[in-house]
Amino acid sequence: MAQDIAYQSAVRRSAVPVSEASPLPVVLTNLTGTALVKSSVTMSGASAELVAADATRRIVIVSSTRTNADAAIDPTGGTCALDSGIPLSGGDTVQITGKEAQSAMTQCGASGQKLTVYIGA
């Protein structure tokens, strides 16, 4: 996976180096001047699309919004399963940046469980 890149603001557009004064996590607010777009995905219990492929996308942030069930995502767009994808327990967040964020991605989890997805170009 690509390295996570954090930007200070749309004005400065400079990377924030990780240091004692600026420890992780660094919160992303804007990427290349474009605000992140938020959406919600309700899972059905079977593997399904999380996001379609997009050659202009630079970041995908996925957060599990329920604390009582596990979910998983497959950043390659293949069939997703809880035991073969990137696991997301309740409250977990995963961030995919760069070229890897451009591929189609799939998800799976308990029926009715929700994921919050942020994308940016």
Side-chain angles (χ1 to χ4, degrees):
M1 264 187 226
Q3 295 178 356
D4 293 340
I5 300 172
Y7 287 85
Q8 288 180 336
S9 69
V11 175
R12 293 186 62 192
R13 295 199 206 311
S14 59
V16 177
V18 176
S19 68
E20 197 169 310
S22 299
L24 289 175
V26 177
V27 177
L28 291 175
T29 55
N30 280 321
L31 221 89
T32 64
T34 302
L36 298 174
V37 176
K38 177 182 174 183
S39 63
S40 181
V41 174
T42 302
M43 292 181 270
S44 66
S47 181
E49 182 177 79
L50 177 68
V51 294
D54 182 344
T56 63
R57 188 169 50 230
R58 309 262 325 254
I59 186 169
V60 177
I61 302 170
V62 183
S63 178
S64 177
T65 59
R66 290 192 50 188
T67 59
N68 63 351
D70 289 333
I73 64 168
D74 182 341
T76 66
T79 301
C80 187
L82 289 176
D83 62 352
S84 65
I86 296 173
L88 285 170
S89 294
D92 282 353
T93 298
V94 66
Q95 175 178 304
I96 301 170
T97 60
K99 196 86 166 149
E100 289 82 359
Q102 296 174 357
S103 72
M105 298 179 199
T106 52
Q107 49 74 19
C108 70
S111 183
Q113 183 177 344
K114 294 182 188 277
L115 295 177
T116 302
V117 181
Y118 299 88
I119 59 171

